[in-house]
């Protein structure tokens, strides 16, 4: 995350999962076998058991400990350009956003929600954080405009949606988010050059990618060519 910040600054998307004691850690999978030395669901382990785990990469090489969410929040609070996108998964919005608010980070955080009840809880948990909601059609825009009650929100629109939906969300005042991610989200579905060409001209405010440096260069090339 430090290297990403130095190379950007870029917003960093992190996945949050809690253990049996309610402590939140950075973990994409609910089941920890793929990326740690442990087995089973993280939610079944207590705090001591999680802290005894070690992370491993795709080659099986053992690395550091599982990262505690509160440590990341503390780090981000000390880095003025750090911005976080929180995929809260099974973590309650109030639990994920309490440390954010305490650290004064609400203005630098986007929380991802993909269900109406979770979005409603996120809006209630922190009045200053930017809540991202899933938009799959025009009716969703009206629903979340009503739910937001005058508050600005983010519209996460699937990449394959009608371009008109991007414009409708933008015209409604939403921050527009989409992604270039492929199956499994570990790689992008298209090259940085193709992604930049596709996104150019659409009202996209935040673009999620695995190749931010290359994508930035591709956008700069397009902007230079078009003046």
């Amino acid at each position: 995350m430090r290297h990403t910040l130095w190379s950007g600054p870029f917003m960093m998307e992190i996945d949050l999962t809690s253990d049996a004691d309610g402590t939140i850690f950075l973990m994409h999978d609910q089941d920890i076998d793929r990326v740690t030395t442990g087995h089973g669901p993280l939610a079944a382990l207590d705090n001591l058991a999680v802290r005894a785990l070690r992370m491993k990469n795709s080659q099986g090489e053992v690395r550091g400990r599982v990262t505690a969410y509160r440590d990341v929040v503390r780090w981000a609070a000390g880095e003025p350009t750090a911005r976080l996108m929180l995929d809260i998964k099974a973590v309650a919005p109030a639990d994920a956003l309490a440390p954010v608010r305490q650290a004064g980070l609400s203005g630098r955080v986007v929380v991802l929600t993909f269900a109406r009840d979770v979005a409603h809880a996120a809006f209630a948990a922190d009045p200053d954080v930017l809540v991202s909601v899933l938009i799959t059609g025009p009716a969703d825009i009206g629903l979340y405009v009503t739910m937001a009650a005058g508050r600005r929100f983010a519209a996460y629109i699937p990449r394959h949606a009608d371009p008109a939906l991007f414009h409708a969300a933008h015209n409604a005042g939403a921050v527009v988010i989409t992604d270039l991610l492929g199956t499994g989200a570990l790689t992008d579905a298209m090259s940085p050059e193709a992604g930049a060409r596709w996104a150019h001209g659409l009202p996209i405010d935040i673009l999620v990618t695995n190749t931010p440096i290359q994508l930035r260069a591709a956008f700069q090339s397009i902007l230079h060519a078009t003046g």
Side-chain angles (χ1 to χ4, degrees):
M1 294 179 75
R2 291 189 185 96
H3 283 292
T4 300
L5 187 64
W6 295 335
S7 300
F10 299 108
M11 178 173 285
M12 290 169 275
E13 190 261 9
I14 57 177
D15 299 275
L16 306 182
T17 305
S18 59
D19 66 9
D21 294 325
T23 302
I24 304 174
F25 292 90
L26 271 62
M27 183 69 62
H28 177 274
D29 301 357
Q30 300 298 308
D31 191 297
I32 63 175
D33 294 61
R34 183 177 66 91
V35 294
T36 80
T37 54
H39 303 283
L42 185 74
L45 302 179
D46 63 21
N47 204 232
L48 287 176
V50 176
R51 293 188 180 281
L53 296 173
R54 294 296 181 271
M55 301 297 293
K56 63 182 182 183
N57 63 18
S58 57
Q59 286 75 46
E61 298 171 333
V62 177
R63 300 297 178 92
R65 291 181 171 86
V66 181
T67 303
Y69 173 52
R70 64 172 175 267
D71 292 337
V72 173
V73 171
R74 187 181 302 116
W75 168 77
E79 296 285 352
T81 60
R83 288 172 170 76
L84 303 177
M85 177 180 283
L86 309 180
D87 190 339
I88 58 177
K89 297 191 178 298
V91 176
D95 294 337
L97 293 175
V100 167
R101 190 156 184 79
Q102 291 166 4
L105 279 176
S106 298
R108 293 193 272 137
V109 165
V110 177
V111 58
L112 300 179
T113 70
F114 297 97
R116 294 177 187 179
D117 58 335
V118 180
H120 189 273
F123 279 123
D126 189 334
D128 300 312
V129 80
L130 184 62
V131 177
S132 171
V133 299
L134 180 63
I135 300 295
T136 59
D140 290 334
I141 297 174
L143 185 151
Y144 286 114
V145 165
T146 300
M147 184 183 292
R151 170 178 168 177
R152 199 178 192 201
F153 66 94
Y156 203 119
I157 302 177
R159 183 177 68 256
H160 299 297
D162 188 329
L165 191 60
F166 289 84
H167 290 280
H170 172 75
N171 292 338
V175 174
V176 178
I177 304 175
T178 191
D179 65 72
L180 300 178
L181 306 180
T183 303
L186 295 178
T187 59
D188 285 1
M190 60 183 75
S191 70
E193 294 74 21
R197 288 194 299 271
W198 169 78
H200 183 61
L202 286 175
I204 297 169
D205 300 296
I206 300 174
L207 187 54
V208 181
T209 176
N210 286 292
T211 59
I213 296 174
Q214 297 90 331
L215 185 64
R216 179 176 59 187
F219 272 118
Q220 289 171 340
S221 178
I222 289 175
L223 292 174
H224 178 75
T226 58

